[in-house]
Amino acid sequence: MKPLLKGILELLGYRIIRSELIRPLDLSPYGGNPKSIFYHGWRQPGLVQASVRDGIGLHIFPLDLRHPFVSAVKSGLASPDLASGIRLRLRQFYDRYQPRDALELLDVGGPSERVFRRRPPWALLFPWEQGTIAERVRSCEAAEVSDNRQVRRATLGIEEGWAWCGPVSEKKFEIEVSKLVSLTDSMVKKGFRAGLSDGPITANALIRDDKEIRWQIRAGQHRAAVCAALGIQTVPIEVGLIVERRDVELWPQVINGNYDTSAALALFDRMFSATLTKCLDGWLSFLESNE
């Protein structure tokens, strides 16, 4: 009955929202600054036409050939067989990028060293994000199970590997190959169809003091990478969080002490300089030697 009622109301232009999402948010824990509601409150996402070249995928990768999915699709398109080319390049990435923990992936200092050391790579939280480490771990583990089931129709947990770095099991590896092959084949034939079978791309908008923007992809990682590999210039993006550099002292993980302002700003600035961390040296050296 509830889904039917919801469907009828949506047809009439109404949307059901949980009451806790529209209850006024007490901002006193955040210094009473009204701007903090952008980081701690709920709001409806916006839709913008965004430049692919300004995107950042898999947390830290610019959407160029350094991005493993972009590189794999480019390799596949240049090969006689798309799947074989993608499979080879993706294997080369997973073999060369295996961060020990979230700290090595992020490469940050200050209190973050204590917070992220010996945590799994998927435990990372950016300074402008809400939540706890435990919540992030649970969220990523659940997302991996869901994503894997969509491809293989079988339960495959994060113990088989995380899509964003190595090591991964053979089963998980083939799932990632399958995703990229399927999306590439579809987009070559039909283009990117946002909102249809290809689904939306969602991102945080990181805004520097000079108003320059980077789009930190949060969902649609494979779609964004394939768009970049195919030379698509702009895509519609659902904007989740708007993050301004000058608001660093309002960022949730700075307030709760998981980052100091120096480490938080260094991480933010790295997004704009497209500087990758030291644990990616092996991958980057491989790419340079194969240009």
Side-chain angles (χ1 to χ4, degrees):
M1 183 64 183
K2 287 183 179 179
L4 176 60
L5 178 60
K6 181 181 178 182
I8 293 172
L9 289 172
E10 287 180 348
L11 286 174
L12 295 173
Y14 295 97
R15 183 178 178 189
I16 298 175
I17 300 172
R18 295 196 308 273
S19 60
E20 62 266 26
L21 294 179
I22 57 176
R23 188 177 301 134
L25 180 68
D26 179 13
L27 299 180
S28 57
Y30 315 115
N33 190 320
K35 204 171 186 180
S36 61
I37 197 168
F38 291 117
Y39 298 95
H40 299 276
W42 176 89
R43 62 184 182 82
Q44 187 173 352
L47 189 67
V48 298
Q49 198 71 18
S51 170
V52 172
R53 68 179 178 83
D54 291 331
I56 302 163
L58 307 186
H59 286 320
I60 58 174
F61 289 92
L63 287 174
D64 57 27
L65 284 175
R66 290 172 292 178
H67 188 299
F69 296 170
V70 176
S71 183
V73 172
K74 284 276 195 182
S75 179
L77 292 170
S79 302
D81 178 67
L82 176 66
S84 297
I86 288 177
R87 182 175 285 107
L88 176 61
R89 182 52 55 92
L90 208 54
R91 175 68 71 191
Q92 292 161 338
F93 168 71
Y94 284 133
D95 287 346
R96 288 168 174 80
Y97 181 47
Q98 300 185 5
R100 293 187 302 270
D101 53 24
L103 178 61
E104 187 175 29
L105 192 154
L106 283 170
D107 191 19
V108 290
S112 306
E113 292 188 32
R114 168 186 51 81
V115 172
F116 294 111
R117 181 177 284 116
R118 290 189 291 275
R119 301 276 192 175
W122 53 91
L124 78 169
L125 268 175
F126 282 87
W128 44 85
E129 295 179 320
Q130 298 183 56
T132 66
I133 301 293
E135 288 170 343
R136 174 52 53 88
V137 168
R138 289 195 297 270
S139 174
C140 283
E141 291 174 349
E144 281 296 311
V145 171
S146 176
D147 290 349
N148 293 337
R149 186 179 292 124
Q150 289 179 29
V151 178
R152 285 294 173 94
R153 301 289 188 267
T155 300
L156 199 68
I158 207 165
E159 66 275 2
E160 299 283 344
W162 188 37
W164 299 12
C165 68
V168 296
S169 71
E170 196 61 31
K171 289 180 181 178
K172 177 60 178 173
F173 176 73
E174 288 301 330
I175 283 175
E176 294 307 309
V177 171
S178 177
K179 287 181 181 179
L180 290 174
V181 171
S182 176
L183 275 171
T184 303
D185 185 60
S186 172
M187 288 192 202
V188 166
K189 294 175 180 176
K190 304 172 185 177
F192 177 63
R193 301 174 298 165
L196 297 174
S197 59
D198 293 333
I201 295 173
T202 64
N204 294 334
L206 309 185
I207 306 176
R208 208 162 55 182
D209 293 346
D210 61 2
K211 306 305 180 184
E212 187 78 14
I213 295 178
R214 292 292 180 270
W215 304 101
Q216 185 190 25
I217 307 299
R218 305 304 301 165
Q221 299 286 349
H222 298 80
R223 293 186 288 276
V226 174
C227 286
L230 293 177
I232 295 173
Q233 299 297 309
T234 62
V235 292
I237 283 180
E238 287 187 9
V239 183
L241 191 63
I242 297 175
V243 183
E244 294 192 66
R245 189 184 191 276
R246 61 188 176 186
D247 292 339
V248 61
E249 294 183 357
L250 298 177
W251 295 350
Q253 302 305 318
V254 173
I255 289 175
N256 68 20
N258 284 340
Y259 287 85
D260 58 25
T261 56
S262 176
L265 289 174
L267 190 53
F268 182 94
D269 292 340
R270 194 190 303 160
M271 299 290 192
F272 283 83
S273 64
T275 302
L276 298 179
T277 56
K278 293 179 181 178
C279 65
L280 277 158
D281 285 351
W283 168 242
L284 297 178
S285 296
F286 166 78
L287 292 177
E288 289 175 6
S289 66
N290 284 271
E291 286 182 348

